[in-house]
Amino acid sequence: MASRPGQRDLTQGPITRTLLTFMIPTLGSSSLQSLNGSINTIWIGRLLGEDALAATSNATTVMFLLLAFVFGFGMAVTILIGQAFGRRDIDGARRVLGTAMGTFSLVAIAMSAIGYLLAPTILHWLATPGEAMPLALEYLRVIFLGLPAALIMTMLMMAVRGSGDSMTPLYCMLLSVVLDSGLNPLLISGIGPFPRMGIAGSATATLIASWAALAALVGTIYWRDLPLRLRGPELAYFRPDPALIRTIIVKGAPMGLQMIAVSLSAITMFGLVNRQGVDTTAAFGVALQLWTYVQMPAMAVGAAVSTMVAQNIGAHRWERVAKVTRSGVLVTLVITGTMVVLLAAADRTVLKLFLGSSSPALAIAQHIQLLGTWGYLLFGVTMVLFGTMRANGAVIAPLIILVIGLLPIRLGIAALAQPLIGTDALWLSLPLASLANLIMAIIYYRRGTWREARMTGPAGPPIPVEA
């Protein structure tokens, strides 16, 4: 099977160089997505004010949970397609894609319709402030109209990455970001020929960008005749295969729940931090903004390792699996470590961009950064180990490990250690929980029971326990 432009055979070549070449565009896509959110927040805050920001924050919470739902199933599709490409089963990969698109396109449309109708109820459940409710409802309903495109594009980009192509999703994400961030001020304020739509204009910009990027992604797949395109009799693959649906759901649900566990931990932590006063809450909020960027390399490397390991498992190249894992750990430590050091060296300069030089929250934010940021080194190694395990279908143990670390351990430290060390217990809870997660992940990785798992289909020879 010859590789096409942008597509890589992840079972061949130098491991570290192959991993980096595949991972960097994935990291670029994640960075663009976060940057897009930051730019849009700036436009809304400057053009519409605090009530509009509160409104979009509530809508963003809803969208995060829905994207977490899709992420797990998309990761299962990525691994299935990766394994199929590894064993050179292109028809099998197309069957996976057809089933995924045929099933989740209908699910996304149904979720969009239900969400549009239940938007007032959803905002009520979120305890949206009364003054922000009309704006939040206006914004959320337009967002729900673009939901099918956003969810389908997320699933399709992950599927394309499973084939070894991380550049095509990057180009389509770039198109989405340019359209979304560029149209936001035009549609909010009614500049030039555009109507003045207020907060609905921001949501409409996102809607247009999502549908345009999805159309570009589908068009590119067919224009370049990428291996995952479906034609002629293959269009029947859009009729869902029950066995494949069962595999995607059984393996995907735990991975989606991992994202939800992260969200629940963050929400609960905010409740504890809010009790410390406005300055501490503001400082913690800024720290979270910066930590979003610090953790991106770990997430990108973990996803790349998962895809690369899946292809090698499909090709029965077990001798490369441990090498990919070690390479992923090294790359994560180098990239994340560099970011942690740079942030520590320039923390005051960076934090002043958010808080101003005279803010009383500035010193608190510096202290939070000092105590908490190093934990993302441990988090990154854990994500690499999880990426390797889930590439062979082991998804329950990583979920249990993550839940134990983020909920009873992290929240227990944050709540119970406060009488002893004060608010430092809050900031140390994340790195200490990350340390506990890493220890549990290493134990499970070394024991070798994850090697007995599988996604679907016949298993290859077992991976040596000493890997």
Side-chain angles (χ1 to χ4, degrees):
M1 179 182 64
S3 295
R4 300 173 187 270
Q7 179 192 334
R8 300 187 64 85
D9 182 351
L10 304 179
T11 67
Q12 306 290 334
I15 287 175
T16 300
R17 187 170 68 191
T18 301
L19 178 63
L20 283 171
T21 305
F22 180 72
M23 178 274 295
I24 289 173
T26 303
L27 176 59
S29 295
S30 299
S31 300
L32 283 172
Q33 197 167 24
S34 293
L35 182 62
N36 183 51
S38 298
I39 292 172
N40 289 349
T41 299
I42 291 172
W43 284 127
I44 291 170
R46 292 194 173 186
L47 297 176
L48 297 174
E50 289 78 5
D51 286 348
L53 277 177
T56 56
S57 297
N58 280 270
T60 300
T61 302
V62 176
M63 290 302 297
F64 178 85
L65 292 175
L66 294 176
L67 288 173
F69 166 83
V70 170
F71 170 82
F73 301 121
M75 200 67 238
V77 169
T78 300
I79 294 167
L80 285 169
I81 289 176
Q83 289 190 2
F85 267 77
R87 61 179 179 266
R88 304 301 192 263
D89 181 9
I90 305 305
D91 187 68
R94 290 171 180 165
R95 289 177 183 273
V96 172
L97 179 69
T99 288
M101 290 296 103
T103 302
F104 289 99
S105 295
L106 297 176
V107 171
I109 292 171
M111 290 171 63
S112 173
I114 294 171
Y116 186 90
L117 294 174
L118 295 182
T121 304
I122 293 171
L123 292 173
H124 177 71
W125 288 341
L126 291 173
T128 304
E131 57 272 21
M133 179 66 81
L135 292 172
L137 180 59
E138 187 178 2
Y139 183 85
L140 186 58
R141 278 189 159 155
V142 178
I143 287 293
F144 270 120
L145 294 177
L147 181 66
L151 297 187
I152 294 169
M153 186 174 74
T154 299
M155 178 77 72
L156 190 53
M157 286 196 303
M158 296 180 79
V160 171
R161 289 192 188 106
S163 72
D165 179 0
S166 56
M167 288 303 299
T168 298
L170 174 62
Y171 295 142
C172 293
M173 180 57 67
L174 179 60
L175 172 64
S176 176
V177 170
V178 169
L179 286 175
D180 195 358
S181 58
L183 288 173
N184 247 270
L186 302 180
L187 292 173
I188 289 174
S189 300
I191 298 173
F194 296 94
R196 183 183 180 90
M197 301 176 66
I199 196 169
S202 178
T204 302
T206 301
L207 181 151
I208 293 171
S210 297
W211 284 105
L214 176 60
L217 180 56
V218 173
T220 300
I221 289 172
Y222 282 89
W223 175 60
R224 293 175 54 199
D225 196 30
L226 297 183
L228 288 178
R229 91 289 179 276
L230 303 180
R231 285 201 176 100
E234 296 167 343
L235 295 174
Y237 295 165
F238 284 117
R239 187 181 304 116
D241 181 319
L244 283 174
I245 291 176
R246 184 165 56 251
T247 298
I248 292 170
I249 292 175
V250 169
K251 299 298 185 180
M255 288 187 275
L257 288 173
Q258 289 182 34
M259 300 291 289
I260 293 174
V262 171
S263 178
L264 288 176
S265 173
I267 290 171
T268 307
M269 275 298 297
F270 255 114
L272 295 174
V273 172
N274 284 340
R275 300 173 185 175
Q276 310 304 317
V278 173
D279 290 339
T280 301
T281 300
F284 184 63
V286 171
L288 287 180
Q289 284 281 335
L290 298 179
W291 286 346
T292 298
Y293 292 95
V294 173
Q295 71 180 340
M296 275 184 192
M299 300 296 290
V301 175
V305 165
S306 193
T307 302
M308 195 167 174
V309 169
Q311 285 202 12
N312 282 279
I313 288 174
H316 294 173
R317 299 207 60 184
W318 311 113
E319 76 281 358
R320 286 173 60 91
V321 169
K323 295 177 182 178
V324 171
T325 305
R326 286 195 293 270
S327 180
V329 169
L330 178 61
V331 169
T332 296
L333 289 175
V334 170
I335 298 178
T336 306
T338 300
M339 294 188 69
V340 169
V341 170
L342 289 176
L343 183 59
D347 61 346
R348 185 173 182 85
T349 302
V350 175
L351 291 169
K352 283 195 297 186
L353 296 175
F354 294 89
L355 296 170
S357 57
S358 61
S359 172
L362 182 59
I364 301 172
Q366 285 183 278
H367 186 64
I368 294 173
Q369 292 283 347
L370 178 65
L371 293 183
T373 306
W374 63 273
Y376 284 97
L377 284 166
L378 310 177
F379 171 80
V381 177
T382 303
M383 289 300 101
V384 171
L385 297 180
F386 283 175
T388 298
M389 296 172 196
R390 70 189 181 202
N392 201 41
V395 294
I396 299 298
L399 171 62
I400 293 173
I401 290 170
L402 192 69
V403 168
I404 290 173
L406 287 180
L407 297 178
I409 293 181
R410 183 186 183 187
L411 299 180
I413 292 171
L416 300 179
Q418 277 196 69
L420 299 175
I421 60 175
T423 56
D424 283 355
L426 300 175
W427 325 134
L428 289 171
S429 65
L430 180 58
L432 292 177
S434 297
L435 177 60
N437 275 338
L438 178 57
I439 292 171
M440 289 185 284
I442 290 173
I443 292 171
Y444 186 67
Y445 179 80
R446 297 296 299 175
R447 282 185 58 191
T449 55
W450 64 270
R451 297 165 177 82
E452 301 167 7
R454 60 182 63 95
M455 290 297 288
T456 187
I463 304 172
V465 171
E466 66 269 21

